[in-house]
Amino acid sequence: MNTRVIKKTSQALALFMFVSILLPVLALAAVHFENVVYNKYNRTVSGSVYSDTYNNVGDSVYLTTYASGSSILSATYATYNPSTSRYDFRLNWSKSVSSTTYDSVNLNVYFNSVFGATYSVNNSGKKSSPGGGGGGASTSTNGKIDATTGSVSAYELQRAFDVTNKVEITIKGEKLDLPLSALLDALKKYNNAQITVISDNGTYTLPLSVLNGDALAKSLSAEQKDVTVTVTIAKKAGEDVTKAVYALGAAPIAIAVDFNLTASAKGKTVSVDLGKTFVSRTLNVNKNVDSKKAAGVVYNETTKTLSFVPTTFETTDGKTVATLKRNSNSIYTVIESNKSFDDLASHWAQSDVELLANKLVVDGVTADEFQPDRSITRAEFAALVVRSLSLNAVTTNTYFTDVNSSAWYANTVASATYAGIINGYEDNTFRPDAEITREELAAMVVRAANYAGIETAVSSSKQAEVLSKFDDADSIVWAQAEVAAAINAGLVNGLTDSEIAPVSEATRAQAATMLKRFLTLADFID
């Protein structure tokens, strides 16, 4: 330890014993702490002290730092800030000084070698103080945090997660910074821990299970304790989104908002991969809506187009909120359409097809015709499934020998294959232009449901029970388990009470109806 520090400390203790007899009340009443923050993860404590009695006394103002009764730093000098008349300090210690990570530390301050006051502070928040306080947010005991400065400390998160696995954080601006290490600590406590960030632009609910701490730290070449996770809920400036809405013949009924999730450290930033987790975001809708005509959509900045996002609507006290669910971040808004097709009048699938058309899941063959009874190809149905799940495009196709990279369906087939929605044939072909059978249709819808987190599998005994109702069940070529699961989940019905027709070609109307059932089962539409 520095000789000067030891000498100062010894002098301080001796003088303290003497002076405290003479001026105990004066000293204690004259010294105050302000804005003290302790971070146990990077082993720092900072803040300011000042005295009503002792002013501008230079390096004779110093502090001792204790934890669990043991000294961490015996003396650290505070720097006088003439603009504030405060003594600013920032203490830090390495593992060589103390290998223990403390939940709280104590500070003793000395002015002119006279003991002034003690301050005890928890990790990034105060425990008790004769002077000022610290921190950038206020935490209630019910798991709700007001993050007025746009950041929340590890201590504040810890307090909130002490009482609930679902923490709500309200922000004033468009961004919120969170310490990754504290989020991972909460995930260790609750495997279903989540935070909901609430702003004037919308809300973002983040299941902490999507955070892969090791992968994020590695991608940033940093330690987990140094990584910051940032949630962004920002209005999208410009008219591009609005133009895309009107190009569809629709009307915008919510602002466009850019939802983003990133991690950063050492000046580097990476996007957080949500995997297969459908994260919920909400947008305020500016009118009461018919959920059959309204749709949540995502804006593609490259193509300047909009596509479907799984969305549900809820109206409370005259205010409608749209909840959009997707496993990727981007720019989102809500639109309203009213599409119809001349050849669907009185058709059994009219309501299902028009609903999905309004939500941009299905298209007409022309502006006025849907051709509901026409067969549908394997590539066409793959495209519908990809739209229903709002999957990002996979641009590299290395799966099938008969899928040309220049074909309109190349990226769609690659996306569906990557997600496990479709399989090829044994000869490594996909046969994109072949008409899809009802058996193949059922299998793809079941896989889509599984991707969305819906458990559809049935036991062998249940499978036999379900299929025994149909006289033609023996004609199922290979997808007995998938067909039984689809029937059991209510995704597929028989053509009659006793006929499933597994090898018959599926129609566009049947495909749309199965997708509507899937989206409803997954709570992706109302």
Side-chain angles (χ1 to χ4, degrees):
M1 185 179 295
N2 187 288
T3 304
R4 181 175 181 231
V5 170
I6 296 174
K7 184 177 179 180
K8 279 283 188 180
T9 306
S10 301
Q11 291 173 343
L13 293 175
L15 284 170
F16 167 66
M17 294 177 64
F18 173 72
V19 178
S20 61
I21 298 174
L22 301 176
L23 300 171
V25 177
L26 175 62
L28 288 171
V31 179
H32 309 276
F33 284 82
E34 280 188 341
N35 304 319
V36 180
V37 176
Y38 166 51
N39 189 318
K40 73 177 183 179
Y41 300 103
N42 60 17
R43 302 168 186 272
T44 63
V45 59
S46 61
S48 302
V49 294
Y50 69 95
S51 171
D52 296 334
T53 303
Y54 305 112
N55 293 309
N56 196 17
V57 290
D59 67 3
S60 59
V61 175
Y62 60 95
L63 303 100
T64 60
T65 314
Y66 291 87
S68 301
S70 301
S71 173
I72 300 174
L73 297 178
S74 292
T76 302
Y77 291 87
T79 302
Y80 183 66
N81 186 339
S83 65
T84 62
S85 298
R86 302 292 190 264
Y87 294 87
D88 300 327
F89 61 88
R90 180 179 176 84
L91 317 181
N92 62 80
W93 57 94
S94 65
K95 290 184 179 181
S96 62
V97 176
S98 174
S99 61
T100 305
T101 301
Y102 300 101
D103 288 328
S104 63
V105 297
N106 301 315
L107 299 170
N108 290 344
V109 64
Y110 299 87
F111 279 76
N112 287 330
S113 300
V114 177
F115 175 75
T118 295
Y119 190 101
S120 179
V121 60
N122 276 339
N123 176 41
S124 294
K126 67 180 183 178
K127 181 173 67 176
S128 60
S129 169
S138 62
T139 311
S140 67
T141 57
N142 62 356
K144 296 183 178 181
I145 304 174
D146 288 326
T148 56
T149 63
S151 64
V152 176
S153 69
Y155 170 72
E156 290 154 349
L157 283 172
Q158 176 189 333
R159 284 190 61 195
F161 278 112
D162 279 344
V163 296
T164 181
N165 66 316
K166 297 180 180 180
V167 171
E168 295 182 2
I169 305 173
T170 301
I171 62 175
K172 298 300 182 183
E174 296 183 332
K175 291 187 176 182
L176 174 66
D177 292 332
L178 301 160
L180 172 64
S181 54
L183 298 175
L184 296 177
D185 284 345
L187 187 58
K188 292 176 184 176
K189 187 172 185 178
Y190 311 103
N191 58 15
N192 60 346
Q194 69 176 42
I195 61 168
T196 297
V197 183
I198 303 169
S199 78
D200 292 338
N201 296 331
T203 71
Y204 188 98
T205 299
L206 175 65
L208 301 189
S209 57
V210 307
L211 300 174
N212 185 327
D214 291 337
L216 289 174
K218 183 178 180 180
S219 66
L220 293 166
S221 301
E223 295 184 48
Q224 291 182 9
K225 66 181 181 62
D226 298 322
V227 176
T228 298
V229 173
T230 301
V231 177
T232 302
I233 309 174
K235 286 184 180 179
K236 169 63 177 176
E239 299 180 354
D240 291 345
V241 179
T242 303
K243 290 180 179 178
V245 175
Y246 288 130
L248 293 170
I253 56 176
I255 62 172
V257 176
D258 188 355
F259 292 88
N260 207 356
L261 182 68
T262 58
S264 59
K266 299 181 178 181
K268 183 179 180 181
T269 300
V270 297
S271 296
V272 176
D273 186 358
L274 300 179
K276 292 184 178 181
T277 302
F278 283 76
V279 170
S280 294
R281 313 149 183 81
T282 69
L283 291 173
N284 294 321
V285 179
N286 59 29
K287 58 174 290 186
N288 290 332
V289 297
D290 179 350
S291 62
K292 294 181 180 179
K293 298 179 180 180
V297 292
V298 57
Y299 177 69
N300 186 316
E301 292 185 277
T302 301
T303 62
K304 299 187 183 302
T305 57
L306 299 167
S307 57
F308 166 78
V309 173
T311 304
T312 56
F313 297 88
E314 183 176 359
T315 300
T316 304
D317 297 328
K319 295 181 179 180
T320 300
V321 173
T323 300
L324 297 85
K325 306 169 186 178
R326 190 165 180 256
N327 61 343
S328 186
N329 293 300
S330 190
I331 299 166
Y332 299 89
T333 190
V334 183
I335 65 173
E336 189 174 47
S337 304
N338 188 16
K339 295 184 179 182
S340 61
F341 301 97
D342 294 342
D343 58 350
L344 279 176
S346 302
H347 193 278
W348 64 268
Q350 179 180 5
S351 61
D352 289 345
V353 171
E354 291 180 349
L355 180 149
L356 294 187
N358 286 332
K359 295 184 182 298
L360 310 186
V361 175
V362 301
D363 295 318
V365 176
T366 68
D368 300 318
E369 290 187 353
F370 184 74
Q371 296 183 10
D373 299 318
R374 195 196 81 182
S375 60
I376 182 171
T377 68
R378 286 167 54 81
E380 288 172 336
F381 189 68
L384 296 184
V385 174
V386 167
R387 290 182 201 170
S388 297
L389 291 169
S390 192
L391 298 179
N392 280 328
V394 175
T395 56
T396 302
N397 175 43
T398 58
Y399 301 104
F400 306 112
T401 59
D402 60 345
V403 175
N404 192 299
S405 61
S406 63
W408 70 264
Y409 49 76
N411 292 346
T412 291
V413 169
S415 298
T417 307
Y418 181 77
I421 307 301
I422 59 179
N423 294 325
Y425 292 90
E426 292 180 356
D427 60 357
N428 202 34
T429 62
F430 176 64
R431 304 177 192 177
D433 297 322
E435 281 77 14
I436 196 168
T437 65
R438 284 172 51 83
E439 174 181 10
E440 293 170 333
L441 197 75
M444 290 175 66
V445 171
V446 164
R447 291 172 190 158
N450 294 339
Y451 185 91
I454 301 170
E455 180 57 52
T456 61
V458 294
S459 65
S460 56
S461 59
K462 184 66 176 179
Q463 174 182 318
E465 176 189 339
V466 170
L467 296 180
S468 66
K469 301 176 183 177
F470 301 97
D471 296 337
D472 58 350
D474 290 342
S475 62
I476 298 174
V477 178
W478 55 271
Q480 287 82 0
E482 289 88 347
V483 172
I487 295 171
N488 187 64
L491 298 172
V492 174
N493 293 333
L495 291 184
T496 67
D497 290 341
S498 60
E499 182 186 12
I500 192 64
V503 295
S504 298
E505 294 175 355
T507 66
R508 284 167 53 82
Q510 291 170 352
T513 299
M514 286 190 194
L515 287 177
K516 189 261 184 178
R517 292 170 184 161
F518 150 63
L519 291 169
T520 302
L521 180 65
D523 196 26
F524 280 179
I525 60 173
D526 294 313

